[in-house]
């Protein structure tokens, strides 16, 4: 990868880091990535699937074979799609120092300033290789908003945005370098809204119907339900609204639920049973309940063919090395945050697992994996033990530690994608595996 491109990536990632924007509000962040890609020769189209901050950047190798455009499963002229993200998280604004120093605003505690920029860098590096080797095909970078609220790629996928891709490639910042041969969880995210009848809680309690009682009884029911679901099912909730003093019977209460497992069938079954708890609670309290699905996604459909190809390419690319200052930063932030990494802050490439690894987190990338063969990589953009959605992740995403992981991820994604363009039979094999 040319040094000029690396410098531009670091500048763009730093800009997005310093201008963190929440889901669906990523105006400056998406524009920064689109401008970067446009300067590198990509054509930009905005507002995919009705999202103001969604875009696609496209480059076609028109010098090959009579200026023909590539298309989807035509693996001789593939369409390679990189899935970029750039939304920040609320309350995770943090200075790039090895101690908790948050400003209360949004911040990149999931490293999406690095994620989207590496996808753009990988596309530019792949473009250079395809031009040099005169390889056929199309490259696209999809600017995907609102991953943190599990919305962006789901709606884009539902509206067919990814339908003509040959393969989808992405990565995520973590604390280690590996092919992400992981089953990200299937999720159903819902709001439960209870409506009751107000009354004076002491003088006329018989006239009241407590929405808060209904919400609490629902949660009791769900907590008993935990004994009767599969081991991988997770159900977590929080109260999102209940107002008023204690001497008024609460007329409104609401909860938000995340229901997850490693298979959509189990998630869906558990979700229906949670709905029954809500309806039963409303019946017991004489209240009314509205059930609102916020969003949902399937589990990740892993692809062994792609995993092996990208792992092989990753073995050829040296993992980042770190300066004494960066290692000292890792030591200090580990001590400040209480990470149990025993002084081993960074390692090289981890081996590819023999079997898929279930994860206890979800992503909207998973739905794409049911439409087109999809591969996700991980790169160390933070020292070992750093959890995502944490102030320490933000601190490292804004400095050289995170940027080294970003450049490494971009090089690995470009190398794997280029291999697929050179050897179309590998793409055919990946499609055959996905469609089994």
């Amino acid at each position: 990868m040319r040094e000029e491109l690396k410098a531009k990536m670091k500048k763009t990632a730093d800009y997005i880091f310093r201008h963190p924007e929440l889901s669906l509000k990523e105006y400056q962040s998406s524009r920064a990535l689109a401008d970067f890609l446009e300067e590198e020769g990509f054509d930009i189209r905005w507002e995919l699937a009705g999202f103001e901050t969604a875009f696609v950047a496209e480059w076609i190798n028109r010098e090959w074979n009579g200026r023909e455009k590539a298309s989807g499963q035509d693996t001789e002229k593939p369409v390679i799609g990189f899935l970029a993200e750039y939304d920040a998280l609320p309350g995770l604004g943090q200075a790039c120092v090895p101690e908790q120093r948050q400003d209360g605003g949004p911040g990149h505690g999931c490293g999406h300033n690095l994620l989207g920029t590496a996808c753009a860098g990988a596309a530019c590096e792949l473009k250079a290789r395809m031009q040099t080797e005169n390889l056929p095909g199309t490259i696209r970078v999809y600017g995907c908003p609102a991953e943190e609220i599990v919305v962006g790629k789901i709606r884009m996928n539902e509206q067919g945005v990814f339908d003509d891709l040959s393969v989808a490639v992405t990565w995520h910042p973590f604390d280690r370098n590996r092919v992400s041969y992981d089953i990200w969880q299937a999720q159903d995210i819902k709001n439960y809204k209870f409506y009751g009848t107000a009354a004076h809680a002491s003088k006329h309690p018989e006239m009241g119907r407590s929405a808060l009682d209904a919400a609490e009884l629902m949660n009791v029911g769900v907590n008993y339900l935990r004994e009767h679901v599969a081991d991988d099912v997770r159900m977590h909730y929080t109260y999102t609204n209940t107002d008023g003093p204690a001497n008024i019977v609460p007329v409104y209460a609401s909860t938000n639920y995340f229901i997850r497992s490693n298979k959509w069938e189990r998630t869906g079954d558990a979700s229906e049973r949670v709905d029954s708890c809500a309806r039963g609670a409303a019946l017991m309290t004489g209240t009314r309940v509205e059930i609102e699905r916020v969003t949902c996604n399937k589990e990740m459909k892993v692809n062994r063919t792609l995993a092996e190809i990208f792992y092989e390419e990753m073995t050829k690319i040296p993992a980042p090395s770190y300066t004494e200052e960066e290692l000292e930063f890792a030591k200090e932030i580990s001590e400040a945050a209480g990470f149990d990494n025993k002084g081993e802050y960074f390692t090289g490439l981890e081996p590819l697992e023999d079997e898929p690894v279930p994860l206890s987190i979800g992503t909207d990338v998973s739905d794409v994996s049911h439409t087109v063969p999809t591969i996700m990589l991980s790169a160390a953009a933070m020292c070992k033990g750093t959890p995502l959605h944490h102030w320490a992740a933000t601190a490292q995403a804004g400095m050289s530690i995170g940027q080294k992981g970003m450049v490494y991820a971009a090089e690995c994604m470009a190398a794997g994608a280029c291999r697929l363009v050179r050897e179309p039979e590998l793409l055919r094999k990946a499609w055959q595996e996905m469609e089994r």
Side-chain angles (χ1 to χ4, degrees):
M1 180 178 289
R2 68 185 194 273
E3 292 303 317
E4 176 191 356
L5 179 57
K6 292 180 185 179
K8 182 180 284 190
M9 289 171 60
K10 292 174 182 177
K11 182 178 179 181
T12 302
D14 182 64
Y15 177 86
I16 296 172
F17 180 83
R18 290 185 290 103
H19 297 83
E21 297 168 300
L22 298 177
S23 297
L24 303 177
K25 302 294 183 183
E26 316 97 325
Y27 299 106
Q28 296 178 88
S29 303
S30 59
R31 175 59 64 182
L33 280 182
D35 288 349
F36 172 5
L37 288 158
E38 191 168 36
E39 289 172 6
E40 290 288 324
F42 286 74
D43 296 321
I44 310 297
R45 181 163 55 89
W46 285 94
E47 297 193 21
L48 305 184
F51 291 118
E52 287 185 291
T53 55
F55 69 87
V56 60
E58 183 179 71
W59 174 82
I60 306 168
N61 191 353
R62 299 186 185 280
E63 299 304 314
W64 191 88
N65 195 22
R67 301 177 181 271
E68 292 183 56
K69 183 175 179 178
S71 61
Q73 290 192 49
D74 180 359
T75 55
E76 300 294 334
K77 298 188 294 294
V79 183
I80 309 296
F82 295 93
L83 309 182
E85 301 167 15
Y86 31 76
D87 55 337
L89 287 157
L92 279 176
Q94 161 74 28
C96 296
V97 295
E99 62 186 37
Q100 188 168 5
R101 197 180 297 173
Q102 294 177 253
D103 58 20
H108 281 284
C110 213
H112 288 184
N113 62 310
L114 308 169
L115 197 165
T117 307
C119 288
C124 295
E125 174 65 13
L126 177 60
K127 172 177 175 280
R129 297 185 186 195
M130 289 174 64
Q131 288 175 315
T132 299
E133 301 179 36
N134 196 25
L135 296 171
T138 296
I139 305 169
R140 293 186 191 148
V141 178
Y142 291 92
C144 304
E147 189 279 336
E148 295 294 359
I149 59 172
V150 201
V151 168
K153 296 181 203 65
I154 293 170
R155 189 197 300 176
M156 293 167 76
N157 188 60
E158 287 173 346
Q159 297 193 19
V161 169
F162 309 113
D163 282 0
D164 65 342
L165 285 181
S166 305
V167 67
V169 182
T170 192
W171 78 294
H172 203 289
F174 273 117
D175 63 350
R176 58 203 66 211
N177 306 307
R178 58 187 286 269
V179 172
S180 180
Y181 194 49
D182 302 318
I183 302 175
W184 296 61
Q185 286 186 317
Q187 304 179 116
D188 206 4
I189 304 172
K190 292 180 173 179
N191 291 326
Y192 295 87
K193 303 176 181 181
F194 293 92
Y195 299 87
T197 303
H200 193 290
S202 179
K203 188 173 183 181
H204 297 294
E206 74 284 358
M207 297 176 65
R209 301 293 182 268
S210 173
L212 181 58
D213 285 356
E216 290 192 279
L217 283 167
M218 174 196 173
N219 297 336
V220 169
V222 170
N223 287 329
Y224 277 99
L225 176 61
R226 295 181 196 281
E227 185 181 355
H228 304 288
V229 294
D231 289 346
D232 67 327
V233 172
R234 298 289 182 268
M235 300 175 289
H236 4 275
Y237 62 85
T238 186
Y239 288 92
T240 53
N241 192 310
T242 181
D243 295 322
N247 67 339
I248 299 175
V249 174
V251 70
Y252 178 75
S254 59
T255 57
N256 172 252
Y257 266 77
F258 275 63
I259 304 153
R260 323 185 197 212
S261 79
N262 297 329
K263 284 288 185 182
W264 173 248
E265 291 79 5
R266 288 197 292 274
T267 298
D269 176 70
S271 184
E272 290 179 5
R273 295 168 75 185
V274 171
D275 289 353
S276 295
C277 290
R279 295 187 184 103
L283 181 63
M284 284 190 287
T285 55
T287 60
R288 177 173 62 88
V289 64
E290 290 180 358
I291 302 172
E292 175 192 33
R293 171 172 277 161
V294 178
T295 188
C296 63
N297 65 270
K298 298 176 182 177
E299 74 281 0
M300 183 71 80
K301 192 171 188 177
V302 297
N303 193 293
R304 185 71 188 183
T305 300
L306 293 178
E308 290 178 352
I309 292 165
F310 277 77
Y311 177 75
E312 184 177 339
E313 294 305 310
M314 290 181 78
T315 63
K316 303 172 186 177
I317 300 170
S321 59
Y322 299 91
T323 65
E324 289 298 324
E325 290 79 8
E326 288 164 341
L327 292 172
E328 182 62 26
F329 189 99
K331 177 183 177 181
E332 291 179 14
I333 205 166
S334 294
E335 292 173 351
F339 301 153
D340 184 22
N341 50 34
K342 299 179 174 60
E344 186 182 26
Y345 305 117
F346 304 97
T347 54
L349 177 64
E350 296 195 350
L352 177 62
E353 290 88 358
D354 294 330
E355 299 292 334
V357 180
L359 289 188
S360 296
I361 50 178
T363 174
D364 61 6
V365 176
S366 296
D367 274 31
V368 183
S369 73
H370 290 258
T371 298
V372 58
T374 301
I375 184 69
M376 179 183 286
L377 308 182
S378 297
M382 56 200 77
C383 68
K384 276 192 174 183
T386 308
L388 299 177
H389 296 201
H390 190 278
W391 65 264
T394 308
Q396 294 170 90
M399 58 173 295
S400 58
I401 288 174
Q403 291 175 355
K404 285 184 174 180
M406 171 188 70
V407 171
Y408 173 68
E411 292 176 325
C412 294
M413 287 190 289
C418 193
R419 174 93 175 274
L420 296 175
V421 177
R422 288 195 194 106
E423 303 177 47
E425 68 275 8
L426 298 177
L427 268 178
R428 287 193 290 271
K429 185 178 177 182
W431 271 98
Q432 289 167 1
E433 179 180 341
M434 193 200 83
E435 292 176 337
R436 282 202 293 268

